[in-house]
Structures are given as structure tokens and as C-alpha cells.
């Protein structure tokens, strides 16, 4: 009975190495891994040994016989990938690299999200080397997008953070939470005390539409909305006008689908999740019944992944609709899945309408958003792809809430190189210069899912270790004692592993009492107070 990878797949590829017959693809060393929507098991090669199951941090692997109805389509998707992909090259033996160094290597990692913590894990598990890692984050909480980005109705995906508990217990690991690099401490000061600094700060700024009316009240970035419902302290007090019956989301990536789902989900289904209390309360009073998700290209080119599209079909009481003329000429697996999702719909009191081939040209309103004017596009072939070109057909959609979700970019840090055009730190395989490195979205741009960062971080950590062994790293004149004294002055309320563990325990306990996985604290003072109350 072959095994099947399903919706939650995080691409971390821990299962790949466990498989004795090399039937999980794409492997990190294969082309297409970085852009893969998920990993797939070749049903003709799987020998049903089950070795992959415990290696999956998000419980995404099932036997065919155990597939819940909502995952049945994944059997075909796994088989389809195997049949469409070229025969994989034999897996190269991974040489066991044992590096030795007589001195401890001190590394600062800026950013406590998955990319930073995967890099810490790789560095701290080097045989023959003594490595000390300080992981900085400007928030008093770690886990980056796992905590503040993954939608609350995707609890299984959040389980990926469990692996980081092991990392924080490793000798040499320290958190420096609540410390902002560039404000509390500078890059030169870090370079003075650590042999290397890795930037893993993500790409948190959303791109703008550049159209009239974009700044009207009622027009927001989808990233802000995500941060709000996930309890990010910077967004906990933000307000979104949910009094109208329709919302419009511009862009159709996975974030757009997350936001659409949350907007029309029955709040009773969100109540047992870790959604922020303030968001749950606001959604209980929401009048939104219809969400338009507007993509500029066709359904074959949609930015969302197939698993996220399939996930829409399982939201109770939500009907998925399309405009048939926008889909009629499209073809391909993604379009087939879309048609199936729509065909299998039952009518529901709330709707997500997936619109294609339209771009916004103006957000309408005087003192508040009242509508969006969109133009129809047609697709033109260009350089092996397609381009959306506007034609002279306009439509106005009435709405009081517009959320833009058209991509993200990183921001420059003082004294650190930055590529303004791409919004990343320029690097080669993670190396910016000996002693300075980048990983995650600030290294490669906003692409991939959580597990993609594991391989990305490994590549960066390997570049750093190569430089260490080749004696290319500058020798820092100061040490950690010096850093700690600086931070005692400038960030005296910073939190360490103990502080975060106290927050984590308190949130889980508060959640347990309410029948939820956790109740997030969303106020910085409350977070720090909770951390400080933990016994030393
Ligand atoms: Fe590979 Fe065994 Fe998992 Fe099948 S069950 S994918 S053979 S590890």
C-alpha cells in the first residue's frame, strides 16, 4: 500500500533521506525543488516501509488506505508528479564532513524565524566543531512566520516549530529576543564580537499597487491582516472594517487564499485554533459574506499552490465560484483541480469567488473605500511564459474592504549590503562576504514554503563553515561578554530561552483552559511580564 503526501507538506525534505528506495521527489538536489509546491511519493516505487512517517514534522504522510476523503485527490497528485517528471538521477552519496577547530566559532543570527533557526540547528550539530549561536529577534517571541504568518486553521503546519525546541536545548544556543539589530545594536558591533553574522530577517514589506485610492481607509495590505489575526504585537490594535458584505483581495497567492478563507470561515470553526482573541471577536461580528480574489493572469498561471486550492474545498459553509468565461480556455493540472473544486461545491451562505484576468486600476471612494475598478486582461505569449495585457473592458466592484496581496520584499539594514531592485541582500549561495551571510527570503526572495528554508539555511551555514575552515573569517576583537554588557545597557528587558519558554508555557496553559492549542499574548508588555515571572 503506497504512501501519499498530503496538504500539509512543508517541503522540509526530512522524509527524503529516510526513504530507502528514493521514491520521494523532488529531492533538494534535484531541479525544481525550490519551486516545488510540495513533495510527492512515487506510488510504483514505494515499498510501504513507513520510514518517512516519523520524519515528517507536520504529519502530512498517510498510507493510501488511511486517506481521509478530503485528501483523496493527493493520491492522483503524487502519482501525476511521478509520471510527469523525468527519471531522477541517482542520489549522490553525501560526504560526511568532519571539520575540526580548536576555538569556538561565534555566530549571530538575526531573525528567529524558520530560516534563522534551521541555520542555527545546522551550525550547532557540526561534529568536531564547537559553535556558539546567538539568535536575535526584535520581537520577544521567535518562530517568525510560523507564529505570525501561517493561518490559524492550518494548525498542523505550525507543528513545524516543534523541531526548534531541540535546537534551543543544544549547548551553545542562546536567544536574544526583543533586540532590534540596527536600533539596539549595530552590524559593526555584532561583527566586533562574532566571527560571522547571518541575516534571516525575511521580506516583510508588501508591494504596492501604485494606483489611485490605494491609501484610502479600508485599503490595507493582506500582510497586515494576517499579522492582525495571528496576534502580531505590532498589529494587534489595527482595525479592519468588516461591516460590508463583500471584500476584495488583489492577488491570488497562498496568502490571498488564507485571508479569503479566514474572512468567510464560520468563527465557530476558528474558535478552537490559536487565532488572536481580538480577531476572533471581530470576525464574530463581521458581515462579510463574499470575498473576491482577483488575479491578473489566468487560472493556469495562478500564484496559489494546488494544495491550497484543494484546501478551499473543505471550508464548511463556503462555496467556491468562478466566472466560466475566465477559465474556459485554460488547461493544465491546476485548472483541472479548480474545475473539480467548483464542480464538487455545495451551495453555502458564504462565497469565495476566484476571478482571473483582471487587474485593479483604481480604488474608489471619498473618505473610505467604496469600490474597486478593474480592467480585463488578455494573455500574450512572451519568452516561454505569458503576460497579462489590459484590454479596454472595465468593471466596478462595490466593496468597503480591499486587501492587496501582490508580493513582498525585504528592507535594507544599516551597514549591510542591499539590492534595492530585488529587495534582497546580494549573496552567492548565502555568502555576502566572509563573515556576513544571508538565508531565507532576504537571501532568495519571497518564495517557497516553510521547509524550503531548511535547505536554504543549510547552504548558507555550509558557506560559513567553509570560510571558517579556510580561515577566511575575520577574528573579532571583542567577545560575548562585551555583547552582553552592551545589551544590558540598551536592551535590558531582552528575553532568553527561559523567557520564551515561560511565554510558551503560559500561552499553552491559557489555551488548554479554553480548549485551544494556545491563547496568544499580543501585547509586548504582557509578553515581557509573563517571561519575567518565570522562576530563574
Ligand atoms: Fe519511502 Fe518507505 Fe515512505 Fe514509501 S513508506 S515513501 S518507501 S520511506
Amino acid at each position: 500500500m503506497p504512501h501519499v503526501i498530503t496538504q500539509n507538506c512543508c517541503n522540509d525534505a526530512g522524509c527524503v533521506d529516510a526513504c530507502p528506495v528514493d521514491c520521494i521527489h523532488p529531492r533538494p538536489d534535484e531541479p525544481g525543488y525550490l519551486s516545488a509546491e510540495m513533495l510527492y511519493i512515487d506510488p510504483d516505487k514505494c515499498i510501504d516501509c513507513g520510514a518517512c512517517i516519523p520524519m515528517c514534522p507536520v504529519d502530512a504522510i498517510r498510507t493510501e488506505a488511511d486517506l481521509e476523503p478530503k485528501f483523496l485527490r493527493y493520491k492522483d497528485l503524487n502519482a501525476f508528479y511521478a509520471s510527469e517528471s523525468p527519471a531522477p538521477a541517482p542520489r549522490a552519496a553525501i560526504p560526511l564532513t568532519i571539520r575540526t577547530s580548536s576555538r569556538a566559532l561565534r555566530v549571530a543570527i538575526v531573525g528567529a524565524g524558520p530560516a534563522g533557526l534551521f541555520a542555527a540547528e545546522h551550525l550547532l550539530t557540526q561534529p568536531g566543531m564547537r559553535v556558539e549561536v546567538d539568535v536575535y529577534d526584535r520581537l520577544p517571541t521567535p518562530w517568525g512566520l510560523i507564529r505570525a504568518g501561517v493561518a490559524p486553521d492550518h494548525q498542523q503546519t505550525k507543528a513545524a516549530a516543534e523541531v526548534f525546541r531541540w535546537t534551543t536545548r543544544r549547548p551553545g544556543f542562546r536567544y536574544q529576543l526583543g533586540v532590534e539589530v540596527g536600533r539596539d545594536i549595530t552590524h559593526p558591533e555584532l561583527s566586533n564580537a562574532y566571527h560571522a553574522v547571518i541575516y534571516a530577517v525575511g521580506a516583510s514589506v508588501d508591494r504596492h499597487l501604485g494606483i489611485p485610492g490605494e491609501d484610502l481607509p479600508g485599503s490595507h495590505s493582506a500582510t497586515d491582516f494576517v499579522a492582525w489575526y495571528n496576534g502580531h504585537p505590532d498589529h494587534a490594535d489595527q482595525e479592519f472594517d468588516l461591516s460590508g458584505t463583500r471584500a476584495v483581495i488583489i492577488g491570488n497567492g497562498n496568502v490571498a487564499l488564507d485571508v479569503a478563507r479566514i474572512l468567510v470561515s464560520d468563527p465557530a470553526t476558528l474558535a478552537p485554533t490559536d487565532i488572536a482573541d481580538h480577531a476572533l471577536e471581530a470576525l464574530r461580528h463581521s458581515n462579510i459574506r463574499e470575498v473576491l480574489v482577483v488575479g491578473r493572469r489566468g487560472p493556469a498561471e495562478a500564484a496559489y499552490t494546488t494544495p491550497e486550492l484543494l484546501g478551499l474545498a473543505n471550508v464548511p459553509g463556503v462555496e467556491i465560484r468562478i466566472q466560466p468565461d475566465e477559465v474556459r480556455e485554460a488547461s493544465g493540472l491546476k485548472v483541472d483541480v479548480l474545475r473539480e473544486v467548483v464542480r464538487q461545491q455545495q451551495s453555502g451562505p458564504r462565497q469565495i469567488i476566484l476571478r482571473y484576468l483582471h487587474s485593479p486600476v483604481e480604488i474608489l471612494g471619498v473618505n473610505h473605500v467604496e469600490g474597486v475598478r478593474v480592467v480585463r486582461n488578455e494573455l500574450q505569449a512572451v519568452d516561454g511564459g505569458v503576460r497579462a495585457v489590459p484590454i479596454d473592458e472595465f468593471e466596478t466592484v462595490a466593496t468597503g474592504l480591499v486587501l492587496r496581496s501582490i508580493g513582498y520584499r525585504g528592507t535594507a539594514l544599516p551597514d549591510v549590503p542591499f539590492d534595492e531592485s530585488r529587495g534582497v541582500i546580494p549573496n552567492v549561495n548565502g555568502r555576502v562576504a566572509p563573515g556576513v551571510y544571508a538565508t531565507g527570503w532576504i537571501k532568495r526572495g519571497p518564495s517557497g514554503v516553510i521547509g524550503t528554508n531548511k535547505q536554504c539555511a543549510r547552504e548558507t551555514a555550509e558557506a560559513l563553515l567553509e570560510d571558517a575552515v579556510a580561515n577566511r573569517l575575520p577574528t573579532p576583537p571583542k567577545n560575548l561578554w562585551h555583547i552582553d554588557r552592551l545589551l544590558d545597557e540598551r536592551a535590558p528587558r531582552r528575553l532568553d530561552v527561559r523567557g520564551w519558554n515561560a511565554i510558551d508555557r503560559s500561552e499553552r496553559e491559557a489555551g488548554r483552559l479554553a480548549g485551544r492549542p494556545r491563547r496568544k499574548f499580543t501585547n509586548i508588555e504582557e509578553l515581557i511580564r509573563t517571561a519575567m515571572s518565570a522562576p530563574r
Side-chain angles (χ1 to χ4, degrees):
M1 183 69 65
H3 286 49
V4 177
I5 301 183
T6 63
Q7 182 180 351
N8 292 323
C9 179
C10 70
N11 291 32
D12 103 332
C15 56
V16 169
D17 290 336
C19 179
V21 292
D22 189 25
C23 69
I24 306 177
H25 299 278
R27 296 184 316 243
D29 61 330
E30 287 174 333
Y33 168 76
L34 279 180
S35 57
E37 293 188 343
M38 55 178 284
L39 305 183
Y40 308 88
I41 291 175
D42 182 342
D44 293 334
K45 293 202 185 128
C46 175
I47 57 170
D48 189 21
C49 69
C52 50
I53 289 179
M55 303 310 293
C56 178
V58 292
D59 190 25
I61 305 178
R62 306 274 190 285
T63 62
E64 239 183 70
D66 292 336
L67 278 177
E68 300 100 301
K70 65 180 180 181
F71 290 151
L72 281 175
R73 191 63 167 89
Y74 286 89
K75 189 176 140 192
D76 305 331
L77 289 181
N78 280 245
F80 180 81
Y81 182 84
S83 66
E84 290 294 302
S85 308
R91 183 161 31 179
I94 301 171
L96 176 62
T97 311
I98 298 194
R99 309 173 179 92
T100 53
S101 170
S102 55
R103 64 178 185 181
L105 185 63
R106 296 194 298 276
V107 181
I109 298 179
V110 184
L117 290 170
F118 279 131
E121 173 70 11
H122 193 69
L123 291 168
L124 291 166
T125 50
Q126 291 304 306
M129 288 194 89
R130 195 153 59 91
V131 185
E132 295 173 342
V133 175
D134 281 0
V135 176
Y136 288 77
D137 203 288
R138 73 181 185 86
L139 288 179
T141 55
W143 300 354
L145 287 181
I146 293 183
R147 182 175 168 94
V150 174
D153 58 347
H154 282 178
Q155 284 300 309
Q156 206 54 49
T157 307
K158 297 185 184 229
E162 293 303 313
V163 298
F164 301 136
R165 293 189 196 284
W166 294 105
T167 306
T168 60
R169 288 180 196 144
R170 296 198 186 282
F173 181 95
R174 299 196 308 177
Y175 270 140
Q176 304 276 17
L177 301 175
V179 179
E180 185 168 345
V181 173
R183 182 194 66 184
D184 300 318
I185 194 156
T186 65
H187 173 75
E189 285 168 339
L190 291 178
S191 291
N192 261 348
Y194 297 92
H195 296 91
V197 184
I198 300 178
Y199 285 94
V201 290
S204 56
V205 175
D206 64 293
R207 292 186 188 273
H208 286 252
L209 296 165
I211 59 173
E214 188 168 6
D215 296 326
L216 277 171
S219 164
H220 307 268
S221 102
T223 330
D224 286 358
F225 189 73
V226 169
W228 171 75
Y229 67 58
N230 271 323
H232 190 298
D234 292 353
H235 298 272
D237 296 329
Q238 206 164 341
E239 289 184 2
F240 296 88
D241 182 358
L242 307 178
S243 62
T245 56
R246 179 188 290 138
V248 174
I249 302 174
I250 307 296
N252 65 6
N254 284 351
V255 172
L257 296 198
D258 280 348
V259 169
R261 241 183 20 253
I262 297 298
L263 275 169
V264 290
S265 286
D266 180 346
T269 65
L270 297 174
T273 72
D274 67 347
I275 189 170
D277 289 351
H278 58 251
L280 184 60
E281 195 51 29
L283 289 167
R284 282 188 170 127
H285 297 100
S286 165
N287 290 327
I288 304 279
R289 294 292 176 272
E290 179 184 296
V291 178
L292 259 65
V293 179
V294 182
R296 71 193 158 92
R297 300 192 294 175
E301 298 83 23
Y304 53 68
T305 59
T306 307
E308 286 301 320
L309 176 60
L310 278 168
L312 282 188
N314 301 315
V315 186
V318 176
E319 185 181 341
I320 310 302
R321 287 173 31 202
I322 54 173
Q323 295 262 102
D325 66 305
E326 294 169 1
V327 175
R328 194 167 296 129
E329 291 175 15
S331 61
L333 176 68
K334 226 173 201 170
V335 185
D336 293 344
V337 170
L338 174 65
R339 290 195 175 106
E340 278 168 37
V341 165
V342 172
R343 210 170 32 239
Q344 289 163 7
Q345 284 308 296
Q346 295 168 359
S347 59
R350 296 174 298 275
Q351 279 111 38
I352 295 175
I353 305 176
L354 299 172
R355 297 289 309 266
Y356 302 93
L357 299 170
H358 282 85
S359 299
V361 291
E362 184 175 3
I363 297 179
L364 307 167
V366 181
N367 296 317
H368 193 279
V369 170
E370 292 169 20
V372 193
R373 193 158 184 254
V374 295
V375 63
R376 175 130 189 170
N377 297 323
E378 64 181 21
L379 298 180
Q380 285 182 1
V382 53
D383 295 338
V386 292
R387 184 175 64 173
V389 179
I391 57 175
D392 205 17
E393 274 179 37
F394 295 89
E395 181 180 336
T396 297
V397 182
T399 181
L401 179 64
V402 174
L403 299 166
R404 62 176 184 277
S405 180
I406 55 165
Y408 313 94
R409 52 176 285 121
T411 47
L413 286 142
D415 305 307
V416 181
F418 192 68
D419 178 342
E420 279 293 344
S421 61
R422 294 182 56 224
V424 299
I425 295 176
N427 68 90
V428 177
N429 299 332
R431 182 187 289 106
V432 182
V436 186
Y437 306 84
T439 186
W441 281 8
I442 198 67
K443 165 187 171 183
R444 62 179 199 275
S447 65
V449 290
I450 287 168
T452 315
N453 291 300
K454 187 173 176 181
Q455 308 306 326
C456 178
R458 175 190 286 257
E459 181 184 65
T460 294
E462 282 294 312
L464 188 160
L465 291 164
E466 273 172 29
D467 287 345
V469 170
N471 277 325
R472 286 193 290 262
L473 296 182
T475 302
K478 307 275 173 86
N479 56 26
L480 295 186
W481 182 88
H482 179 78
I483 279 286
D484 288 346
R485 294 297 75 75
L486 271 184
L487 292 177
D488 285 347
E489 278 173 32
R490 300 179 194 169
R493 301 197 304 165
R494 70 189 187 280
L495 304 185
D496 54 13
V497 173
R498 183 191 57 84
W500 160 242
N501 285 344
I503 294 170
D504 187 38
R505 267 196 310 275
S506 297
E507 286 189 341
R508 284 172 186 262
E509 177 58 15
R512 190 184 66 76
L513 296 174
R516 305 169 59 183
R518 74 168 66 229
R519 279 184 79 182
K520 284 180 182 165
F521 303 144
T522 60
N523 174 282
I524 296 277
E525 290 304 319
E526 186 182 22
L527 286 161
I528 292 175
R529 219 173 26 246
T530 305
M532 297 297 181
S533 67
R536 282 214 160 265

